[in-house]
Short mmCIF file of all heavy atoms in Angstrom, two decimals:
data_model
loop_
_atom_site.label_atom_id
_atom_site.label_comp_id
_atom_site.label_asym_id
_atom_site.label_seq_id
_atom_site.Cartn_x
_atom_site.Cartn_y
_atom_site.Cartn_z
N ALA A 169 -34.40 -6.72 -14.61
CA ALA A 169 -34.27 -7.07 -16.03
C ALA A 169 -35.40 -6.48 -16.87
O ALA A 169 -35.21 -6.14 -18.04
CB ALA A 169 -34.23 -8.59 -16.18
N LYS A 258 -55.04 -32.84 -1.09
CA LYS A 258 -54.84 -33.86 -0.06
C LYS A 258 -53.36 -34.21 0.11
O LYS A 258 -53.04 -35.22 0.73
CB LYS A 258 -55.62 -35.12 -0.42
CG LYS A 258 -57.11 -34.92 -0.57
CD LYS A 258 -57.80 -36.22 -0.96
CE LYS A 258 -59.30 -36.03 -1.19
NZ LYS A 258 -59.95 -37.28 -1.61
N SER A 286 -65.15 -21.14 -12.35
CA SER A 286 -66.60 -20.88 -12.36
C SER A 286 -67.37 -22.02 -13.00
O SER A 286 -68.55 -22.22 -12.70
CB SER A 286 -66.86 -19.57 -13.11
OG SER A 286 -66.37 -19.65 -14.44
N VAL A 307 -49.91 -24.76 10.05
CA VAL A 307 -49.13 -23.88 9.20
C VAL A 307 -49.86 -23.49 7.93
O VAL A 307 -49.60 -22.44 7.33
CB VAL A 307 -47.78 -24.55 8.87
CG1 VAL A 307 -47.98 -25.77 7.97
CG2 VAL A 307 -46.84 -23.56 8.21
N HIS A 367 -71.45 -14.84 4.95
CA HIS A 367 -71.59 -15.10 3.51
C HIS A 367 -72.26 -16.42 3.19
O HIS A 367 -72.56 -16.70 2.03
CB HIS A 367 -70.21 -15.04 2.83
CG HIS A 367 -69.61 -13.67 2.83
ND1 HIS A 367 -68.65 -13.27 3.74
CD2 HIS A 367 -69.85 -12.60 2.04
CE1 HIS A 367 -68.31 -12.02 3.51
NE2 HIS A 367 -69.03 -11.58 2.48
N ILE A 368 -72.48 -17.28 4.19
CA ILE A 368 -73.23 -18.52 3.95
C ILE A 368 -74.70 -18.14 3.77
O ILE A 368 -75.25 -17.34 4.52
CB ILE A 368 -73.05 -19.50 5.12
CG1 ILE A 368 -71.59 -19.98 5.20
CG2 ILE A 368 -74.00 -20.69 4.99
CD1 ILE A 368 -71.31 -20.93 6.35
N ILE A 428 -85.46 -14.24 23.41
CA ILE A 428 -85.86 -12.83 23.50
C ILE A 428 -87.36 -12.67 23.44
O ILE A 428 -87.96 -11.83 24.12
CB ILE A 428 -85.18 -12.02 22.37
CG1 ILE A 428 -83.65 -12.03 22.60
CG2 ILE A 428 -85.70 -10.60 22.32
CD1 ILE A 428 -82.89 -11.31 21.50
N ARG A 462 -62.44 -22.75 33.51
CA ARG A 462 -61.67 -22.19 34.62
C ARG A 462 -60.17 -22.19 34.32
O ARG A 462 -59.46 -21.24 34.64
CB ARG A 462 -61.94 -23.00 35.89
CG ARG A 462 -61.18 -22.50 37.10
CD ARG A 462 -61.54 -23.27 38.34
NE ARG A 462 -60.88 -22.72 39.51
CZ ARG A 462 -61.04 -23.18 40.75
NH1 ARG A 462 -61.90 -24.18 40.97
NH2 ARG A 462 -60.41 -22.64 41.76
N ILE A 478 -73.62 -7.42 26.62
CA ILE A 478 -74.76 -6.81 27.31
C ILE A 478 -74.98 -5.38 26.82
O ILE A 478 -76.12 -4.95 26.58
CB ILE A 478 -74.51 -6.82 28.83
CG1 ILE A 478 -74.52 -8.28 29.35
CG2 ILE A 478 -75.55 -5.98 29.56
CD1 ILE A 478 -74.21 -8.40 30.83
N THR A 544 -78.69 2.66 28.99
CA THR A 544 -79.61 3.75 29.31
C THR A 544 -79.39 4.18 30.75
O THR A 544 -78.76 3.47 31.55
CB THR A 544 -81.07 3.29 29.13
OG1 THR A 544 -81.33 2.23 30.06
CG2 THR A 544 -81.31 2.80 27.70
N GLU A 651 -45.51 -1.80 57.07
CA GLU A 651 -46.00 -2.17 55.74
C GLU A 651 -47.32 -1.49 55.43
O GLU A 651 -47.54 -0.97 54.34
CB GLU A 651 -46.15 -3.69 55.65
CG GLU A 651 -46.53 -4.17 54.25
CD GLU A 651 -46.66 -5.67 54.18
OE1 GLU A 651 -46.59 -6.33 55.23
OE2 GLU A 651 -46.86 -6.19 53.08
N SER A 776 -19.72 11.63 47.57
CA SER A 776 -19.77 11.55 46.11
C SER A 776 -18.39 11.36 45.50
O SER A 776 -18.28 10.90 44.36
CB SER A 776 -20.41 12.82 45.53
OG SER A 776 -19.55 13.93 45.67
N ALA A 792 -24.77 9.75 45.78
CA ALA A 792 -24.35 11.04 46.33
C ALA A 792 -23.94 12.00 45.22
O ALA A 792 -24.24 13.20 45.27
CB ALA A 792 -23.18 10.83 47.30
N ALA A 820 -9.98 13.87 57.00
CA ALA A 820 -9.92 12.56 56.36
C ALA A 820 -8.50 12.19 55.98
O ALA A 820 -8.06 11.05 56.14
CB ALA A 820 -10.82 12.55 55.11
N ALA A 825 -7.68 5.85 60.07
CA ALA A 825 -8.84 4.95 59.98
C ALA A 825 -9.71 5.23 58.76
O ALA A 825 -10.53 4.41 58.37
CB ALA A 825 -9.69 5.08 61.25
N GLU A 851 -6.68 30.96 46.83
CA GLU A 851 -5.43 31.08 47.57
C GLU A 851 -5.61 30.60 49.01
O GLU A 851 -4.74 29.91 49.57
CB GLU A 851 -4.96 32.54 47.54
CG GLU A 851 -3.61 32.79 48.18
CD GLU A 851 -2.47 32.30 47.31
OE1 GLU A 851 -2.69 32.12 46.10
OE2 GLU A 851 -1.37 32.10 47.84
N LYS A 868 6.06 10.00 57.99
CA LYS A 868 7.15 9.23 57.40
C LYS A 868 7.97 8.48 58.43
O LYS A 868 8.94 7.79 58.07
CB LYS A 868 8.06 10.13 56.58
CG LYS A 868 8.87 11.14 57.40
CD LYS A 868 9.64 12.08 56.49
CE LYS A 868 10.41 13.12 57.29
NZ LYS A 868 11.06 14.10 56.41
N LYS A 895 8.74 -0.54 59.80
CA LYS A 895 7.28 -0.65 59.77
C LYS A 895 6.90 -2.04 59.28
O LYS A 895 7.56 -2.63 58.43
CB LYS A 895 6.69 0.39 58.81
CG LYS A 895 6.77 1.83 59.33
CD LYS A 895 5.56 2.17 60.16
CE LYS A 895 5.49 3.65 60.49
NZ LYS A 895 4.28 4.00 61.23
N ILE A 1161 52.98 -3.45 35.27
CA ILE A 1161 52.64 -4.87 35.36
C ILE A 1161 52.32 -5.30 36.78
O ILE A 1161 51.43 -6.12 37.02
CB ILE A 1161 53.77 -5.74 34.78
CG1 ILE A 1161 53.30 -7.19 34.65
CG2 ILE A 1161 55.03 -5.60 35.62
CD1 ILE A 1161 52.20 -7.38 33.67
N VAL A 1173 39.68 -11.89 44.27
CA VAL A 1173 39.40 -12.05 45.70
C VAL A 1173 38.06 -11.43 46.06
O VAL A 1173 37.29 -11.98 46.86
CB VAL A 1173 40.54 -11.41 46.53
CG1 VAL A 1173 40.16 -11.37 48.01
CG2 VAL A 1173 41.83 -12.17 46.34
N LEU A 1291 25.26 -34.75 26.39
CA LEU A 1291 24.58 -35.85 27.09
C LEU A 1291 23.88 -36.77 26.10
O LEU A 1291 23.95 -38.00 26.22
CB LEU A 1291 23.56 -35.27 28.08
CG LEU A 1291 22.72 -36.28 28.86
CD1 LEU A 1291 23.62 -37.09 29.80
CD2 LEU A 1291 21.64 -35.57 29.66
N ALA A 1309 18.42 -51.07 29.55
CA ALA A 1309 18.97 -49.81 29.04
C ALA A 1309 17.87 -48.95 28.44
O ALA A 1309 17.85 -47.73 28.58
CB ALA A 1309 20.06 -50.10 28.00
N ASP A 1341 4.02 -14.28 37.06
CA ASP A 1341 3.38 -15.20 36.12
C ASP A 1341 4.17 -15.28 34.81
O ASP A 1341 4.28 -16.33 34.19
CB ASP A 1341 1.94 -14.76 35.83
CG ASP A 1341 1.02 -15.01 37.00
OD1 ASP A 1341 1.35 -15.90 37.81
OD2 ASP A 1341 0.00 -14.32 37.13
N MET A 1561 11.34 -40.83 6.77
CA MET A 1561 12.48 -41.58 6.27
C MET A 1561 12.82 -42.75 7.18
O MET A 1561 13.24 -43.82 6.72
CB MET A 1561 13.70 -40.66 6.13
CG MET A 1561 13.71 -39.84 4.84
SD MET A 1561 13.78 -40.85 3.34
CE MET A 1561 15.38 -41.60 3.50
#
Side-chain angles (χ1 to χ4, degrees):
K258 301 178 183 178
S286 59
V307 68
H367 292 100
I368 294 179
I428 295 177
R462 180 177 184 178
I478 293 177
T544 63
E651 185 180 7
S776 71
E851 185 75 19
K868 68 185 178 185
K895 288 272 190 177
I1161 190 65
V1173 171
L1291 178 66
D1341 288 336
M1561 278 298 294

